Amino acid sequence: MANQRLTEIAVGVFIAIGLAALVMLAMKVSNISALTERDGYEITAKFENIGGLKVRAPVSMAGVHIGRVIGVTFEQETFTAVVKMRIRAEYDKLPLDTSAGIYTSGVLGESYVGLEAGAEEENLIDGGEITLTQSAMILEQLVGQFLLDKAADE
Amino acid sequence: MLNWLQFLGRGGLDFFERLGRGHMFIVRVSAGLPGLFLQPRLVIQQLFSVGVLSLQIIAISGLTVGMVLGLQMYNTLVDFGAEDSLGPVVALSLVRELGPVLAALLFAGRAGSALTAEIGLMKATEQLSGMEMMAVDPIKRVVAPRFLAGAISLPLLAAIFSAIGILGSYFVGIGLLGVDSGAFWSQMQAKVDVQEDILNGVLKSIAFGVVATWIAVFEGYDAVPTTEGVSRATTRTVVHTAFAVLGLDFVLTALMFGGE
Amino acid sequence: MSDFDGNGCVGNGDALVRIRDLRFCHGPRVILDGVDIDIPRGKVTTIMGPSGTGKTTLLRLIGGQLKPEAGSIVVDGKNVPTLSRKELYRLRRRMGMMFQSGALFTDLSVFDNVAFPLREHTELPEEIIRDLVLMKLHAVGLRGARDLMPAELSGGMARRVALARAIALDPMMVMYDEPFTGQDPITVGVIMQLIRRLNDNLGLTSVVVSHDVKEVSAISDCIYLISNGEVVAKGGPDKLKSSGSAWAYQFLNAQPDGPVPFHYPAVGYKEDLMADES
């Protein structure tokens, strides 16, 4: 039964390589860390216009990635977009009056939420809301505005 | 004109008849799967001939496809000064599409055709009949372990294909073309999502594994028991698997990635 | 049907297999139509007939691999076509069958082929299986060939291994599908002797399907002649030769022309030759 043993070993090696490939795809290729962000806390912010912001877009503060957008909904009463974000647990000292804005990385890059610290003593907690927000800059609107201003000048 | 309609109707009826038989067959095979837990040796034997023996072609094809992808994508991306995006572009195309689909097509050529030929020849040489006369159900003894082994093997092979492909593009991109290694991996990790991309890719390859092996064992079991019949069945396995995998890929892609 | 009941066709007690009014069609073609056959216990019964008359089909019907259109096949008191899958499998364990090609499993050695039914159906420990397999292989004279693979066997050896496998579970009945076809005279002699000896020594009931008149006459107790889906004649080998049927005479004495014409049905020879001139 030496043959049987060799077969079993070969199959074992095959399955091990296959699982290793799966693990590599999960750990090395993708952001497995996105899953560990589950243990953070959630905050929301209302924007008049979110431009091209998508779910899973990064949330950063001072240029450092501290969380992720986990949901975008539309609130009919106020006609605003409600952006739900999850912030990593270790960044739990964000002042209550932190402001949020939607920016674009580079001219054609993806949208992200940038947070700017305020001065309050108290901190944002799970379920908290950021009240100071700045809408996304919409390129078309800016160009339109610019043309209108130009026309008014003449 | 009438002849043509008759031809069409005939073809359609044949198609649905085969489809029906195929479904009845898979039900019988599924009924044989639980019994395999008592005889794991049968499955291990098949994992060897279906999975291990396909490793070589999968590894070499994965490496080549990854290297070519790296080269081609770099040439396009460098025009936009976006060569740092090489990592995510290659990884996404491999993990989402090329890995599962190409692995399934290669699998059909290497393992699927061999399964069909093996079962078809066992039928042609009355081995299946003989087994039945010995009160052993060939579907449980012969077909079910092969089906299970195929369905397990393909997802693993597809993952190996993607992983080796990414390594291949890494060697070309970083080694030959001078892309920054850190940017390659970090951009990749920022863009590729575990659930959205990797998990969906794995789900796809599981679906392909079931369909490809199903077609292979069915064609073998359903083959006309002559030399010519078996050779036709083998050809059919490769062609039908290709159609089924590509069609299914479109449907699955639409379901998984279609509506954001 | 000319009834020549030689004493060979009357067994001791009831028949092991009793077939009545058997009708079987393959698509639009009627293969068997109203066949009555009794296979006596403990005897070698041969079913003879020209190629393509459904002899092998008959064996598959007895084994339950095919379902008849009408009629009954009672094997040891059980009507095969009405059995459930489970009952059928239980019955099959008591039947052995030797296929024309041998039907050995090509990926198993001779030993493992013979051990296959024992391993599938019994919980015997490996040492006992080894003893049983060697006994069966010894009975067919191939104890020394146990480690060979089927591809390394000659046609005759493959059939002998298949025979050893067929008797592995000590069945009550063994069916032989064309055991002599395409074998050299020595092999034919060996197989003839094996069929007869195993039948008598193991107390089997044997059913042989063949069209080799000489060999069959030498070993059979009872012969059924089948043609065009019907039993044409039956009886012991000696009685059958003097059967009144013209067809049986032609078949048993290998006459080229007779009730079965030499020429495939066609229009007149002369007319046919003249036809393309018009």
Side-chain angles (χ1 to χ4, degrees), chain B residues 126 129 132 134 137 141, chain C residues 60 85 92 101 120-121:
Chain B
E126 294 181 309
S129 246
E132 238 174 73
M134 282 184 269
D137 188 350
R141 186 64 171 60
Chain C
R60 286 179 189 270
R85 198 176 175 75
R92 278 184 188 161
S101 58
E120 289 291 323
H121 293 307

Side-chain angles (χ1 to χ4, degrees), chain B residues 62-72 165 167-169 171-172 176:
Chain B
L63 187 70
T64 330
V65 167
M67 286 165 70
V68 169
L69 261 184
L71 215 67
Q72 296 284 16
L167 291 180
S169 72
F171 291 136
V172 170
L176 298 178

Side-chain angles (χ1 to χ4, degrees), chain B residues 17-40:
Chain B
E17 200 225 319
R18 280 185 72 76
L19 207 63
R21 262 186 299 152
H23 278 91
M24 279 160 64
F25 178 75
I26 195 74
V27 169
R28 287 180 63 194
V29 173
S30 311
L33 291 180
L36 292 176
F37 288 107
L38 299 174
Q39 294 173 296

